[in-house]
Amino acid sequence: MEHTEGQKLKEELFNSHKTGWEGMTEEIRNAVFKFAEEYMDYLNTSKTEKEIVKNSKDILVKNGFVDLLEKEELKTGDKVFFVNRARTIYAAVIGENALEDGIRMVAAHGDSPRIDLKPKPLYEDSGLGLFKTHYYGGIKKYQWTNIPLSMHATFVKSNGEKKEVVIGEDENDPIFTISDLLPHLASGQMDRKLKDGVQGEELNIVAGSMPYEDEKVSEQIKLNLLKLLYDKYGIKEVDFMSSEIEFVPAFKAKSLGLDKSMVAAYGQDDKVCCYTALRGILDIGTPKNTAVCVLTDKEEIGFCGVTGMESRTFEYFLTEVLNKAGQNRPNALEKLLHHSKVISADVDGAYDPTFPSSFDKMNSCFIGKGPTMVKYTGSRGKSGASEAPAEFVAEVRGIFEKNGVTYQSSELGKVDAGGGGTIAVVLANRGMSVIDCGVPVLSMHSPYEITSKFDVYQAYKAYEAFYRG
Ligand code: MN
Ligand code: MN
């Protein structure tokens, strides 16, 4: 049927966001599902920031990247990586243009909300061996009780010997869990506000219940648990103080829905952008400007610390690249930063039709409509945001449009409903042009987050196009 003038005009002028699945060819659909399988495999072995770095490094090495510190000099087309203290990794492909012309960077974070142990965690009470915890990142605490948890531990002894221990990921492993009160006795708890339903000091992990057979000693359950750790790993109680013991959901990543169109998994904030940013840099050939992929740590607790995005180790990495490319001179680093263009690849909260009152529907991002560009984050009047200049937003949009990337734009939630921030502000403060652009996530920061397979694939396409420029 012939379209009316009004219909044609509306099509021309309106900003309509269709779901990405509509009109998709079978070839693309197959590519989307294949990519999602590979992504889920990566998630299942990469639940902590250290596992993200280790597995991403393996992928880089398989694709011809070498350790920057092993290179004497760098030339166009070289592919290198740099690991900061096993928790952050930077990868680069040296481009044709001078480094002072700026880099094209996509930066994601490998850390996700979780439950950490305190430095003195192990105790026994009333027939149970328990661990005291301190949660990491922004969580709704009640969501973390009564689910299977796995332990991902790094113990370092005072002689420097390191023990990596993972329990709960293999099908035959035991798991851990945080107990919650039975409803029959919870009338007092049920009167608490939801945010206090389970409190921080109530997130205790059940770790065992069998005593060491010796009536002459006290704390027989704790002793038995320490003996198990000592016999298998040589770990004593004092070693907990120099350890990082992270408890994460033991669930595997799964396809979600009758149509299998989504991924349900722990830690997709921001491992979905880690994987897509990493895959994107593998296939770019020799770019015009040097391409850099950053998988950083400590985003969830404020970007700080020696392995966070604020760490000057990032400048050390860039300076080593300048040195080894024979391009360092006074001001070279500042020029490089000033001319650089960055995507802060972080997820955004997708519109949830079950909770419409927390969103401005017009300015939300939706599952299945591609990665979302977020011009500013912040809260209460954009406070704390590094708002991207309109010129830069237009440039990135242009790259996406030229490369057939489906994208949307959004801000997080209703005005004054809350808010959040990303590493964009840290990069902008260094003098780099930066915009947030990542995958919409439902149930963000919960133990089991949801993404669309279409969006995951489009994020990969978006980042790859951006590296190329
Ligand atoms: Mn994030
Ligand atoms: Mn987050």
Side-chain angles (χ1 to χ4, degrees), residues 109 269-270 299-300 346-347 422 444-445:
H109 66 91
D269 174 7
D270 185 35
E299 192 277 341
E300 294 293 356
D346 207 344
V347 301
T422 67
M444 207 169 109
H445 283 208

PDB file of all heavy atoms in Angstrom, residues 109 269-270 299-300 346-347 422 444-445, ligand 1:
ATOM      1  N   HIS A 109      35.306  -2.583  32.713  1.00  0.00           N
ATOM      2  CA  HIS A 109      35.846  -3.028  34.000  1.00  0.00           C
ATOM      3  C   HIS A 109      35.515  -4.491  34.270  1.00  0.00           C
ATOM      4  O   HIS A 109      34.410  -4.952  33.985  1.00  0.00           O
ATOM      5  CB  HIS A 109      35.397  -2.124  35.155  1.00  0.00           C
ATOM      6  CG  HIS A 109      33.933  -2.142  35.462  1.00  0.00           C
ATOM      7  ND1 HIS A 109      33.379  -3.005  36.374  1.00  0.00           N
ATOM      8  CD2 HIS A 109      32.904  -1.380  34.993  1.00  0.00           C
ATOM      9  CE1 HIS A 109      32.070  -2.772  36.462  1.00  0.00           C
ATOM     10  NE2 HIS A 109      31.752  -1.806  35.631  1.00  0.00           N
ATOM     11  N   ASP A 269      27.718  -6.916  34.283  1.00  0.00           N
ATOM     12  CA  ASP A 269      28.264  -5.587  34.570  1.00  0.00           C
ATOM     13  C   ASP A 269      29.636  -5.816  35.191  1.00  0.00           C
ATOM     14  O   ASP A 269      29.712  -6.143  36.370  1.00  0.00           O
ATOM     15  CB  ASP A 269      27.344  -4.817  35.512  1.00  0.00           C
ATOM     16  CG  ASP A 269      27.946  -3.491  35.964  1.00  0.00           C
ATOM     17  OD1 ASP A 269      29.002  -3.110  35.456  1.00  0.00           O
ATOM     18  OD2 ASP A 269      27.358  -2.851  36.855  1.00  0.00           O
ATOM     19  N   ASP A 270      30.739  -5.727  34.498  1.00  0.00           N
ATOM     20  CA  ASP A 270      30.782  -5.173  33.165  1.00  0.00           C
ATOM     21  C   ASP A 270      31.540  -6.129  32.252  1.00  0.00           C
ATOM     22  O   ASP A 270      32.201  -5.725  31.308  1.00  0.00           O
ATOM     23  CB  ASP A 270      31.441  -3.798  33.242  1.00  0.00           C
ATOM     24  CG  ASP A 270      31.467  -3.026  31.950  1.00  0.00           C
ATOM     25  OD1 ASP A 270      30.508  -3.149  31.180  1.00  0.00           O
ATOM     26  OD2 ASP A 270      32.462  -2.345  31.698  1.00  0.00           O
ATOM     27  N   GLU A 299      36.230  -0.576  39.582  1.00  0.00           N
ATOM     28  CA  GLU A 299      35.238   0.410  39.148  1.00  0.00           C
ATOM     29  C   GLU A 299      34.088   0.469  40.141  1.00  0.00           C
ATOM     30  O   GLU A 299      33.585   1.545  40.468  1.00  0.00           O
ATOM     31  CB  GLU A 299      34.708   0.047  37.754  1.00  0.00           C
ATOM     32  CG  GLU A 299      33.883   1.157  37.091  1.00  0.00           C
ATOM     33  CD  GLU A 299      32.426   1.218  37.521  1.00  0.00           C
ATOM     34  OE1 GLU A 299      31.904   0.219  38.059  1.00  0.00           O
ATOM     35  OE2 GLU A 299      31.792   2.271  37.343  1.00  0.00           O
ATOM     36  N   GLU A 300      33.706  -0.709  40.622  1.00  0.00           N
ATOM     37  CA  GLU A 300      32.499  -0.784  41.466  1.00  0.00           C
ATOM     38  C   GLU A 300      32.677  -0.108  42.812  1.00  0.00           C
ATOM     39  O   GLU A 300      31.696   0.108  43.532  1.00  0.00           O
ATOM     40  CB  GLU A 300      32.074  -2.247  41.649  1.00  0.00           C
ATOM     41  CG  GLU A 300      31.612  -2.936  40.361  1.00  0.00           C
ATOM     42  CD  GLU A 300      30.311  -2.370  39.805  1.00  0.00           C
ATOM     43  OE1 GLU A 300      29.722  -1.487  40.443  1.00  0.00           O
ATOM     44  OE2 GLU A 300      29.912  -2.798  38.713  1.00  0.00           O
ATOM     45  N   ASP A 346      30.575   0.665  29.528  1.00  0.00           N
ATOM     46  CA  ASP A 346      29.949   0.175  30.752  1.00  0.00           C
ATOM     47  C   ASP A 346      28.454   0.022  30.516  1.00  0.00           C
ATOM     48  O   ASP A 346      27.874   0.728  29.690  1.00  0.00           O
ATOM     49  CB  ASP A 346      30.218   1.140  31.915  1.00  0.00           C
ATOM     50  CG  ASP A 346      30.200   0.427  33.262  1.00  0.00           C
ATOM     51  OD1 ASP A 346      29.692  -0.699  33.334  1.00  0.00           O
ATOM     52  OD2 ASP A 346      30.694   1.027  34.241  1.00  0.00           O
ATOM     53  N   VAL A 347      27.867  -0.877  31.262  1.00  0.00           N
ATOM     54  CA  VAL A 347      26.455  -1.197  31.050  1.00  0.00           C
ATOM     55  C   VAL A 347      25.564  -0.091  31.595  1.00  0.00           C
ATOM     56  O   VAL A 347      25.992   0.731  32.407  1.00  0.00           O
ATOM     57  CB  VAL A 347      26.099  -2.538  31.720  1.00  0.00           C
ATOM     58  CG1 VAL A 347      26.958  -3.657  31.170  1.00  0.00           C
ATOM     59  CG2 VAL A 347      26.249  -2.443  33.237  1.00  0.00           C
ATOM     60  N   THR A 422      30.617   6.321  36.109  1.00  0.00           N
ATOM     61  CA  THR A 422      31.498   5.337  35.483  1.00  0.00           C
ATOM     62  C   THR A 422      32.909   5.913  35.431  1.00  0.00           C
ATOM     63  O   THR A 422      33.143   7.047  35.851  1.00  0.00           O
ATOM     64  CB  THR A 422      31.048   5.022  34.045  1.00  0.00           C
ATOM     65  OG1 THR A 422      31.258   6.208  33.259  1.00  0.00           O
ATOM     66  CG2 THR A 422      29.589   4.620  33.971  1.00  0.00           C
ATOM     67  N   MET A 444      20.469  -5.342  37.054  1.00  0.00           N
ATOM     68  CA  MET A 444      21.875  -4.990  37.241  1.00  0.00           C
ATOM     69  C   MET A 444      22.280  -5.103  38.714  1.00  0.00           C
ATOM     70  O   MET A 444      21.497  -4.762  39.587  1.00  0.00           O
ATOM     71  CB  MET A 444      22.073  -3.557  36.749  1.00  0.00           C
ATOM     72  CG  MET A 444      23.437  -3.225  36.282  1.00  0.00           C
ATOM     73  SD  MET A 444      23.331  -1.613  35.451  1.00  0.00           S
ATOM     74  CE  MET A 444      24.166  -0.595  36.625  1.00  0.00           C
ATOM     75  N   HIS A 445      23.506  -5.575  38.926  1.00  0.00           N
ATOM     76  CA  HIS A 445      24.094  -5.758  40.271  1.00  0.00           C
ATOM     77  C   HIS A 445      23.413  -6.864  41.073  1.00  0.00           C
ATOM     78  O   HIS A 445      23.694  -7.003  42.259  1.00  0.00           O
ATOM     79  CB  HIS A 445      24.111  -4.462  41.081  1.00  0.00           C
ATOM     80  CG  HIS A 445      25.209  -3.525  40.660  1.00  0.00           C
ATOM     81  ND1 HIS A 445      25.787  -2.612  41.505  1.00  0.00           N
ATOM     82  CD2 HIS A 445      25.851  -3.370  39.486  1.00  0.00           C
ATOM     83  CE1 HIS A 445      26.731  -1.927  40.871  1.00  0.00           C
ATOM     84  NE2 HIS A 445      26.777  -2.369  39.631  1.00  0.00           N
TER      85      HIS A 445
HETATM   86 MN    MN B   1      29.696  -1.095  35.426  1.00  0.00          MN
END
